[in-house]
Amino acid sequence: MLNETIKAIRKSKGLSQQELAVKLNVVRQTISKWEQGLSVPDSDQLISLSEAFETPVSTLLGETVSETEADTLKAISEKLEVINLQLAQRKTTRRGIIHWSLISLCAIIVIVFSILLTLESSYLGWNYSDPETAVLGVAFHSLEWLFVRFAPMVFIGSVMGILLTRKRE
């Protein structure tokens, strides 16, 4: 993909992200985002990138060098559109994974709260004269105490995350 190609060519030319950013008159974070696949250069930046690398735009876009298609602005724009669509699809997939993970987290919290309510802290009736029982009882009590204190905050955060990651139509 474009991000891997930019990174490979930059490294083969012996340039740091900062040096390339200076050549292209952009900030280093822009180069980093391109290389991570979080964004893509627009057609003008792609042409500047090809000039800085002394490489045809078609090579940057993943075509073989033997192809003789001219680097017209329209062809570059079409290729960038495909890359942008791929990035959008990846973002949608990532958002869906996060959304369902948060729903699962909420379900787990509800299930654990139900189990804790059902058990009614049965370890409180244990005989704590035995050291092993005492350690186990304290461990159960600590876990229950931490869960009861932090789970509501995690639950609320998860619900907010679910609302923020839901599909908007």
Side-chain angles (χ1 to χ4, degrees), residues 42-105:
D42 63 24
S43 55
D44 292 335
Q45 291 171 329
L46 199 57
I47 291 170
S48 298
L49 196 58
S50 74
E51 291 170 357
F53 286 155
E54 299 171 348
T55 306
V57 174
S58 59
T59 302
L60 289 175
L61 294 173
E63 295 180 5
T64 57
V65 179
S66 62
E67 198 165 315
T68 59
E69 180 183 327
D71 288 332
T72 64
L73 197 53
K74 182 180 179 190
I76 293 169
S77 296
E78 289 172 357
K79 292 170 188 170
L80 284 175
E81 185 177 338
V82 169
I83 292 169
N84 276 326
L85 288 172
Q86 291 171 344
L87 285 174
Q89 188 175 24
R90 188 183 307 167
K91 183 179 178 182
T92 303
T93 302
R94 196 175 301 145
R95 176 176 270 194
I97 290 170
I98 291 170
H99 183 78
W100 286 106
S101 297
L102 291 172
I103 289 173
S104 300
L105 180 61

Side-chain angles (χ1 to χ4, degrees), residues 29-48:
Q29 288 82 355
T30 301
I31 305 297
S32 176
K33 284 183 179 180
W34 292 346
E35 290 183 359
Q36 292 175 18
L38 299 175
S39 67
V40 293
D42 63 24
S43 55
D44 292 335
Q45 291 171 329
L46 199 57
I47 291 170
S48 298

Side-chain angles (χ1 to χ4, degrees), residues 118-133:
T118 305
L119 294 178
E120 297 178 354
S121 303
S122 60
Y123 59 84
L124 293 177
W126 292 356
N127 179 6
Y128 282 88
S129 60
D130 180 27
E132 290 176 4
T133 305

